[in-house]
Amino acid sequence: MRRAIFPTLSLLTITLSLAAQAPAGVDPNTINRIRGEAITRSQAMETHWWLSEVYGPRATGTPGYRQGADWVMKKFAEWGLQNIHIERFPFGQGWTIERFSAHMTAPQMAVLIGQPRWNSPSTSGPVTSDVVHVQAATEGDLAKYKGQLRGKIVISQGVRVVRMLDGRVVLQMNDADWAEAMKLPVAAPATSAAPPAAPATGAAARVTPASLQRFLADEGAAVFLDRGSDNDSPAGGSNLSWQTQVVDGGTIFPGNGGSRDPKAPAPVPSATIAVEHYNRIVRLLARGQSVRMEVNIQTRFHPETDPAGNAFNIIAEIPGSDLAHEVVIMGAHFDTYPYATGATDNTTGSAAMIEAVRVIQSLGLKPRRTIRVALWAAEEQGLLGSREYVARHYYDPKTKTAKPEQANVQAYFNLDNGTGRIVGIWGQGNTGAMKMFEEWGKPLKDIGWKNVSPRSVSQTDHGSFDEAGIPGFQFIQERLEYNSRTHHSNMDSFDHVQKDDVIQQGAVAAVFAWYAANTTERMPRKP
């Protein structure tokens, strides 16, 4: 899916078009220079290659994260950025995978595809044992397995049907998607539902994932295996109604297998295996066939030895001139899931924001406002890095009061939805900012920019700023295979990165950074 990003346009045409559109305070020729550097001399894919192929994965609190940070900060210094530093915060243990294998040994030999679940402990070497299918809806059902699971490999889910790929796998916004994106969502009507019934207790209590894990640990089970979610058609993202279809075929989406808190009780070592391989085990057991497996899970926890914390954000700046006390922040999360290299989540977003400051710095441009690049840790655990940064510098969430520096943030821009090109920006209900973005997007129309949506989206780092009263925005991207194949999976690899789109991302981010840093207008704020 390689797509050319430049139609044939003369330099004169582009320059004249920009001149007609430039907001006050922004030189159209400078925008043209930024575009030229970002597209014809892009280093976005070079940056991306190093961060994903050499320094991926980069789960928070791990050596991979630290090595990737060292590489980025060295680049920032080479390019002449200023105020390069890290800001640590408490996180808990980091976690990495050292070795994994899973084989069926009876009734026939088979090599199985899988990955340890995040924060799973290790097995005591390879475990060879029978597989037991624990089928329990209530605590009473679970009690039937007492005394039967010591040393066993346990599964608990049933078969999930593996459908032909007949749904939307590669998501590109069609007319219906755009029409929905350009309208505010309709509020659900208020209902007067009856209060929920009191939860059952004792033997009738429902089995939860947590209660199942406690039971397995108490019973001495050796390994727990799952196949991931029951749903093969997750939401396409950005709070729209579209859905995608996961591709299966060896692509797996492991869940959580433990805690980063070293004081938490140790769970049973666990892994997620491919649905096709898991289904076969279930079918064999259902027909009375004994299944034996050999599973080896070797992982490592990385203790939080630094008093300031095991996680850190990475910060660097291009200092401003007459408005240097005001700041534009270009951000993306630097941490990844541990199962692949994190190529589309979120090395693409990080590479684009790194490229934005590289472009501006390489041209020797001096912005009026300071342009800051921020690469966040622990986004995958709930936006922890950006929330910590905002709380430390701009807003006290306990007292719900702004700190003095909050007023000096012109805007925060975020990128975190995969490898697809930027086609717009979510307006977050900020109508004044939306009018500015409509003008800023005009000189980007020829490289894929489409529109500004009034909608608010969530679940990524711009939300930390938006919630603190700071204008915070997420770019709209084509999702492509993000939700169907690469997001939080074992297939989030460099092979799924779209080169032309990553180059375009860097160009758009650089142009928006320059507009925000130099326009005479302050970014409007929501009430």
Side-chain angles (χ1 to χ4, degrees), residues 309-480:
N310 208 15
F312 59 88
N313 300 319
I314 307 160
I315 311 295
E317 293 179 343
I318 301 174
S321 55
D322 60 312
L323 296 176
H325 65 288
E326 297 178 13
V327 62
V328 174
I329 307 175
M330 310 300 291
H333 74 86
F334 195 65
D335 64 315
T336 73
Y337 260 54
Y339 312 122
T341 64
T344 70
D345 183 29
N346 185 32
T347 303
T348 44
S350 294
M353 294 314 194
I354 292 167
E355 177 70 358
V357 293
R358 183 205 68 81
V359 165
I360 292 169
Q361 182 72 6
S362 70
L363 293 171
L365 300 174
K366 302 298 181 184
R368 297 187 67 198
R369 298 179 180 91
T370 295
I371 298 175
R372 181 176 300 155
V373 60
L375 305 175
W376 310 118
E379 187 271 352
E380 300 294 3
Q381 285 72 32
L383 318 184
L384 299 186
S386 58
R387 290 188 189 279
E388 172 67 25
Y389 186 83
V390 168
R392 186 174 296 182
H393 296 282
Y394 302 127
Y395 186 80
D396 187 333
K398 295 180 180 178
T399 63
K400 299 188 183 302
T401 55
K403 298 183 179 182
E405 286 300 305
Q406 191 254 27
N408 291 329
V409 182
Q410 167 80 331
Y412 172 80
F413 297 102
N414 196 74
L415 193 65
D416 178 24
N417 287 144
T419 185
R421 70 183 56 200
I422 295 172
V423 291
I425 194 167
W426 302 105
Q428 296 297 122
N430 188 331
T431 55
M434 288 165 56
K435 292 179 181 178
M436 298 174 72
F437 296 156
E438 287 171 359
E439 294 301 314
W440 299 2
K442 287 178 180 177
L444 299 167
K445 293 277 188 181
D446 62 304
I447 58 171
W449 183 272
K450 292 183 179 179
N451 221 324
V452 179
S453 168
R455 283 181 169 241
S456 296
V457 295
S458 57
Q459 299 182 331
T460 192
D461 289 297
H462 74 288
S464 302
F465 291 82
D466 187 48
E467 292 166 3
I470 296 169
F473 307 95
Q474 166 81 357
F475 287 110
I476 304 173
Q477 291 176 260
E478 295 284 21
R479 289 303 183 98
L480 305 182

Side-chain angles (χ1 to χ4, degrees), residues 38 85 93 96 101 108 110 112 158 175 198 203 231 249 267 283 286 298 314 353 358 413 415 441 444 459 467 482 486:
H85 66 283
Q93 301 178 113
T96 52
S101 64
Q108 301 293 337
L112 308 184
D175 290 343
N231 180 20
R283 288 191 292 262
Q298 298 301 314
I314 307 160
M353 294 314 194
R358 183 205 68 81
F413 297 102
L415 193 65
L444 299 167
Q459 299 182 331
E467 292 166 3
Y482 188 60
T486 64

Side-chain angles (χ1 to χ4, degrees), residues 24 48 73 75 94 97 102 113 117 145 155 207 213 269 310 356 362 367-368 413 439 496 505:
H48 192 293
M73 295 171 74
K75 283 295 178 184
I97 301 167
I113 297 171
R117 301 199 306 167
Y145 294 93
I155 63 173
V207 173
Q213 289 304 311
N310 208 15
S362 70
R368 297 187 67 198
F413 297 102
E439 294 301 314
H496 294 287
Q505 291 172 11

Side-chain angles (χ1 to χ4, degrees), residues 64-126:
Y65 188 98
R66 292 193 295 273
Q67 292 161 7
D70 289 344
W71 185 88
V72 165
M73 295 171 74
K74 181 179 178 182
K75 283 295 178 184
F76 287 159
E78 290 175 1
W79 298 336
L81 271 64
Q82 302 295 309
N83 195 22
I84 304 166
H85 66 283
I86 64 172
E87 297 189 10
R88 289 189 173 274
F89 59 93
F91 174 75
Q93 301 178 113
W95 181 84
T96 52
I97 301 167
E98 296 201 325
R99 188 174 298 274
F100 174 78
S101 64
H103 300 81
M104 182 191 295
T105 59
Q108 301 293 337
M109 176 67 184
V111 178
L112 308 184
I113 297 171
Q115 290 270 15
R117 301 199 306 167
W118 205 336
N119 290 317
S120 166
S122 299
T123 56
S124 299

Side-chain angles (χ1 to χ4, degrees), residues 99 120-127 222-223 268-270 295-299:
R99 188 174 298 274
S120 166
S122 299
T123 56
S124 299
V127 172
V223 175
V268 173
S270 61
V295 178
N296 186 17
I297 299 172
Q298 298 301 314
T299 62

